[in-house]
Every structure is written in C-alpha cells, then in structure tokens.
Amino acid sequence: MASQLVEVKLPEPQQKVFSGEVFPYIVSPAESSDLADINKTCNWVENNRQYVESCLIKYGAVLFRGFPIENPEMFDKFVKSFGYDALPYVGGAAPRNPPEGGQTPLVLSNLVYQQMLKLNEPFVNKLLDLGVKYTRVLPNGDDPSSPIGRGWQSTYGTTNKEEAEKKALELVGSIEWLSDGCLKTITDVLPAIREDKRTGKMTWFNSVIAVYRGWKDSRNSPETSITFGDGSPMDPDVMTTLENTLNELATDFSWKKHDVVMVDNRQVLHGRRSFVPPRQILAALCK
C-alpha cells in the first residue's frame, strides 16, 4: 500500500511540525515503486484511496511530489482517479494574474482558532455569536488592475444578466445591479468558526483576513466588504493580529513541476503569493 511511497521532509517555512506531526505531509514515489507512468499512478490511487484519505484527515494536506503528472490531461486523470464528484468553481473573485512571487501558503485552521482564542477571546466569541457577512461589488467586465477584478460575466460564466442573477443567488443572499452595470452581492450571515465533526476540532472557517486585506479597489473597501453578521465592522488592530497569526502558522512551500497538493478545505486554509509569469497552476475542486 504505502510501500510504493517515500516521505519527503522540507525545511521551514516550506514544511512545519505541530504537536509532533508534519504539515503538509509530502510523499514521492519510492525508487523501487511501479509508479513510472500516469496510468500506474492512477491505478495505485484507485486501489489505495482509503490510505490517502486517512493521510488527508491526519495531516490536513498531502503534497504529491515527483509523480508522472506532466500536463493538464494527466492532472485531470489523476484527480478523477479518486472518484470524487467535481465541484465547479463559480463566484471566485480574483483574475489570478498578479505580477510576482509564487508560493502557496497553507495553514491549519484549528491552530488559527486556538491561537486567536488565546490572543483575543472576545473577538472569537463575537464571531461565534454573530457570524460574518461578505459584500462584493463585481465590475462590469474584468478589471485586471484590481485584486478582485473578475467581472460578473467571467465570475458567473455568462453575459446574460438574468442568468448571472440566478447563479449569484445560488451562492449569496441578495444582489443589486448598480447604475454603472456593476453587480453588488451580499451573502447571508455565515458561520465563521465551525466544528469539524470528523475530528471534533474547532476550525477557523472563514475568509475574513483575505477579504479585509484583499477586497480593496475603487468599488470595494475593507470596512464594508467584511462585517460581523449584525453589520458592525472589523477592528483594524484585530485584523493585524489575525494576519500575523496566519503568517506565523503558515507553511510556504515552493512549487515544483509535477507537484500536486491535496487540501482538505475543512481543516486547512490556503492562499496564493503573487508571481512572475510564466506560471500556471491547475486547480480542481471536489466534493
């Protein structure tokens, strides 16, 4: 089963150790393995899915390094070998073409919860009691100058307003068309902290800092983009504390060609550093 693999260790900050466990867990094909091509690799996944999933539950993220995954077609085949239902990516904010950098930070959300509880328990309790709301104004057409510049057309995959409304309301609580053709979306009140029923751990299940730091342009501001469920704003000092906490806990591995990282979104938060082209990272969301 696991004899086909060898564990890989990387120095900090690419990999860290928390309570005796590495994060993320990194594996490569063993020299004696029979994983020389994509078909054999996918057959191994199909026969060892339970083992991979046990690693995912234990560690939160698994980085497959050095596997024969050369192109989008092979990546698609590798993902499909797990047998999960595909989850379409609809409603994302960023145009994903920033100018420099490259790493993908990963953070164990339970550790964020624990640390913030120590640093600012009243803030954590307020999140638990009130939840959060996200408000975003999508431009009428992509705006590459903005970090959240995907227009409503590319966000919802249509140029038809009625179709865009239908797709938006499947994801948010309310919408409003503005006079300049932009689309304002407001979520329902959403929980910001959740218990992972599989592990019994409390998790930091929100995009508070990503929105507060990233959703800023001529149409959006941190004060209105992310609020508590009652509409009250986030304290800037607390946001600084939260950002520092995330940075302290994050691993920051550098991508290599052929890498595939499998992330359990219920346990792990992920981000994206800016980068210098050319660079392409493929993503697949699964249920």
Side-chain angles (χ1 to χ4, degrees):
M1 187 165 61
S3 60
Q4 296 268 54
L5 309 178
V6 292
E7 183 179 354
V8 176
K9 298 290 183 68
L10 296 178
E12 290 195 31
Q14 297 191 67
Q15 186 183 48
K16 295 185 178 181
V17 178
F18 300 106
S19 300
E21 300 290 359
V22 294
F23 177 74
Y25 184 58
I26 308 172
V27 292
S28 290
E31 289 187 7
S32 58
S33 73
D34 189 26
L35 303 177
D37 61 56
I38 188 63
N39 291 322
K40 291 178 179 179
T41 294
C42 290
N43 287 337
W44 183 90
V45 170
E46 291 169 358
N47 293 327
N48 295 278
R49 173 176 158 179
Q50 187 174 2
Y51 166 73
V52 175
E53 290 177 339
S54 69
C55 291
L56 193 63
I57 289 290
K58 181 178 181 180
Y59 299 103
V62 179
L63 171 60
F64 297 89
R65 171 155 288 180
F67 287 79
I69 303 170
E70 303 277 349
N71 52 47
E73 292 73 26
M74 290 182 177
F75 173 70
D76 184 62
K77 190 168 186 176
F78 179 76
V79 172
K80 287 180 177 177
S81 67
F82 286 91
Y84 300 132
D85 293 331
L87 186 65
Y89 182 70
V90 178
R96 300 187 181 276
N97 61 347
E100 57 184 44
Q103 300 84 356
T104 295
L106 300 173
V107 184
L108 285 163
S109 58
N110 173 251
L111 298 184
V112 180
Y113 167 77
Q114 291 177 350
Q115 185 66 7
M116 287 303 296
L117 197 62
K118 294 177 183 177
L119 295 173
N120 197 319
E121 185 174 354
F123 172 69
V124 174
N125 289 335
K126 190 172 181 180
L127 284 177
L128 280 166
D129 293 340
L130 299 179
V132 291
K133 285 197 300 185
Y134 303 93
T135 300
R136 175 162 48 120
V137 178
L138 288 73
N140 184 12
D142 287 356
D143 177 7
S145 68
S146 167
I148 53 167
R150 292 185 73 193
W152 59 263
Q153 297 92 337
S154 59
T155 298
Y156 299 114
T158 181
T159 58
N160 182 281
K161 284 191 172 183
E162 291 183 358
E163 183 67 21
E165 288 181 8
K166 180 181 178 182
K167 290 184 176 182
L169 289 172
E170 291 174 355
L171 301 171
V172 300
S174 64
I175 63 172
E176 177 186 353
W177 289 104
L178 304 182
S179 59
D180 58 1
C182 295
L183 178 61
K184 182 178 182 179
T185 67
I186 305 173
T187 68
D188 292 323
V189 176
L190 302 173
I193 296 170
R194 298 182 180 181
E195 179 186 0
D196 187 339
K197 300 296 184 182
R198 303 166 305 168
T199 63
K201 295 178 180 179
M202 299 298 290
T203 63
W204 196 262
F205 200 84
N206 61 71
S207 300
V208 168
I209 199 63
V211 172
Y212 193 86
R213 293 297 189 222
W215 287 16
K216 185 177 182 180
D217 59 17
S218 60
R219 296 167 295 272
N220 300 273
S221 68
E223 292 76 15
T224 57
S225 293
I226 178 66
T227 65
F228 290 101
D230 64 355
S232 58
M234 301 288 164
D235 184 329
D237 291 336
V238 178
M239 293 298 97
T240 298
T241 299
L242 174 56
E243 184 176 33
N244 291 339
T245 296
L246 288 164
N247 286 331
E248 289 168 5
L249 294 173
T251 61
D252 222 16
F253 76 90
S254 298
W255 288 97
K256 288 188 175 183
K257 190 176 180 180
H258 313 300
D259 280 355
V260 176
V261 63
M262 189 175 185
V263 177
D264 181 352
N265 278 333
R266 284 182 281 180
Q267 294 192 80
V268 173
L269 304 169
H270 73 278
R272 180 199 60 217
R273 305 297 187 196
S274 57
F275 60 91
V276 175
R279 177 183 184 267
Q280 182 181 52
I281 292 181
L282 306 176
L285 280 69
C286 304
K287 298 179 182 178

